[in-house]
Amino acid sequence: MMIGNGMKWIIMFSMVAILLTGCGLYGPEEKTEIDPPPATLESQDTTGSTLEVTNVNPDQTSSSAENDQDMKTVKFTIYFLDEKGDVVPLTMDIPKVVGIGQEVLNYMIVDGPAAAMLPAGFKPVIPAGTKLSMKVVADQKLAKVDFSREFLNYEAESAADEKKILDAITWTLTEFPTVEQVEITVNGYPLTEMPKWKTPILGPLSRLDGINLELANNIQMGHTTPVTIYFQRTTADHEYLVPVTRLIPATEDIAKATIEQLILGPKSGTDLTSSLLPSTKVLDVKVSNNLVVADFSDDLLGFNQELSQKVIDMIVWSLTENTPAKSVQIKVQGKTETLKENQSKPIVRPIAINASLL
């Protein structure tokens, strides 16, 4: 049964409210006001700019033997769990093979090809021994994945953990520009709920279902907008970006709301940080064609009066995730003169994310 996006979010909100109540997963105290008119975040293909081979179909690769010899691997972003249990993207080199979509999923299996590549504390979400097959319904941009029964042996200590397994699979497959939705079956039978904690699966999965989901304060059921923002996590050995989908009061200005939530920062207790000073103000945000122009107060430059790469990464990844734009022009007090030369021009969403961890 197909469920409309509006109704799906009402059901999802109710489920998430139950899952997250008492778990400390509500967002930080609101410090800014977000426009109240309700809106629905439309499905969009934001994966093309994160995939080096944007024309690769998950069912196949190039048929040119000569090209295969020239490039035996491709860069692809796959989602894993980190030591804190959050879903984190890692761009890695994987073999360029026929049926690359299925190969990508193989990298998500415990004890699979990615085992020797992952940094300490990271792990795949699909249980060891799971067999799988996959096909894409091109006109629906729908990936159909059938797992063997071993998939049901997943590890989850809560319903939130179950959702993160689904998030990792969904966000990985939607890195293909030809995939916007994912449908999961087990031994050919539709998976309508995760069996251990009864997390429902409401129709085809998509990025609209969010990732590492949390709730902002003062939200009303049926009047929310999801925004996915990228915060930083620092460990003894690594520093990397973590996407978080926060349900906020409904707004039509998603780009501005995205920046406001970045400035508001991560919720307490997550070990996530934001490099944007809380005093930073959003002066203007405009979206046109493939470009977002974001103008900030000079607090964006921080105490050193210099735009850091950390700030750039958070802004560019967040804005290009929530809008159709593929690049971001950053301004300070309406100008670019205070920025370095390579920062004063539109910044394209990078191909790779967190690749330095490997």
Side-chain angles (χ1 to χ4, degrees):
M1 179 180 65
M2 299 295 291
I3 301 176
N5 283 336
M7 180 59 68
K8 186 173 183 178
W9 268 111
I10 292 175
I11 298 172
M12 179 67 73
F13 177 93
S14 302
M15 179 188 75
V16 170
I18 294 172
L19 297 183
L20 303 188
T21 298
C23 296
L25 293 180
Y26 285 86
E29 181 179 353
E30 298 289 346
K31 298 177 183 177
T32 58
E33 294 207 0
I34 301 174
D35 298 336
T40 300
L41 183 64
E42 295 182 352
S43 177
Q44 56 196 351
D45 177 17
T46 61
T47 63
S49 56
T50 66
L51 182 59
E52 183 177 74
V53 282
T54 55
N55 292 325
V56 167
N57 185 304
D59 286 330
Q60 61 185 18
T61 62
S62 170
S63 59
S64 169
E66 181 178 349
N67 288 342
D68 287 347
Q69 291 174 357
D70 291 341
M71 184 168 55
K72 297 183 182 299
T73 64
V74 292
K75 292 188 181 299
F76 198 87
T77 300
I78 303 176
Y79 291 71
F80 300 93
L81 295 178
D82 72 357
E83 60 184 340
K84 297 294 184 180
D86 285 326
V87 184
V88 176
L90 294 177
T91 301
M92 55 179 55
D93 292 325
I94 65 171
K96 185 177 182 181
V97 297
V98 174
I100 193 170
Q102 187 161 319
E103 180 69 7
V104 165
L105 289 173
N106 286 334
Y107 271 66
M108 301 182 71
I109 298 176
V110 173
D111 297 330
M117 304 170 61
L118 293 179
F122 280 67
K123 63 180 182 180
V125 300
I126 301 175
T130 302
K131 305 295 188 297
L132 59 92
S133 62
M134 173 183 158
K135 65 178 181 180
V136 174
V137 183
D139 60 345
Q140 299 179 38
K141 290 196 169 184
L142 174 66
K144 292 188 173 185
V145 183
D146 185 52
F147 292 112
S148 65
R149 186 169 183 79
E150 287 79 6
F151 176 74
L152 304 180
N153 298 328
Y154 61 84
E155 296 181 3
E157 296 181 0
S158 67
D161 288 347
E162 288 185 325
K163 186 183 183 308
K164 288 182 178 182
I165 294 171
L166 300 174
D167 292 349
I169 295 170
T170 301
W171 282 64
T172 295
L173 290 179
T174 52
E175 288 289 333
F176 288 106
T178 53
V179 175
E180 291 182 355
Q181 302 179 92
V182 178
E183 185 178 277
I184 296 176
T185 57
V186 176
N187 282 347
Y189 291 93
L191 189 64
T192 58
E193 68 175 15
M194 298 291 276
K196 293 186 178 180
W197 294 91
K198 308 302 180 184
T199 301
I201 298 176
L202 308 173
L205 302 165
S206 75
R207 291 199 170 202
L208 289 178
D209 299 323
I211 186 171
N212 299 320
L213 196 63
E214 65 179 36
L215 308 179
N217 294 330
N218 304 318
I219 57 176
Q220 181 180 359
M221 182 169 61
H223 297 283
T224 62
T225 296
V227 292
T228 298
I229 41 187
Y230 285 74
F231 293 121
Q232 293 158 335
R233 172 164 288 146
T234 302
T235 67
D237 301 315
H238 303 293
E239 188 171 71
Y240 54 92
L241 292 170
V242 179
V244 174
T245 299
R246 182 175 291 167
L247 296 186
I248 65 173
T251 175
E252 293 180 343
D253 196 343
I254 295 172
K256 183 179 180 181
T258 297
I259 298 300
E260 288 175 337
Q261 292 301 314
L262 271 180
I263 295 171
L264 190 61
K267 69 179 187 65
S268 60
T270 61
D271 291 331
L272 296 173
T273 60
S274 173
S275 293
L276 279 75
L277 292 176
S279 56
T280 305
K281 299 292 188 297
V282 186
L283 303 182
D284 191 29
V285 184
K286 293 181 179 179
V287 182
S288 59
N289 298 323
N290 285 324
L291 178 67
V292 180
V293 179
D295 189 12
F296 299 86
S297 66
D298 55 12
D299 290 339
L300 183 74
L301 301 178
F303 300 115
N304 296 327
Q305 289 298 292
E306 186 174 285
L307 184 60
S308 72
Q309 188 60 48
K310 293 180 183 179
V311 169
I312 293 173
D313 289 343
M314 293 176 63
I315 291 173
V316 172
W317 280 103
S318 298
L319 283 175
T320 55
E321 189 66 61
N322 292 288
T323 70
K326 300 296 187 293
S327 58
V328 177
Q329 172 76 71
I330 297 175
K331 294 185 176 182
V332 177
Q333 299 291 153
K335 303 177 181 179
T336 61
E337 286 81 355
T338 56
L339 305 178
K340 295 179 180 179
E341 184 178 355
N342 64 333
Q343 299 172 344
S344 63
K345 301 175 183 178
I347 302 169
V348 179
R349 178 176 169 123
I351 292 171
I353 183 169
N354 296 330
S356 62
L357 297 181
L358 302 176

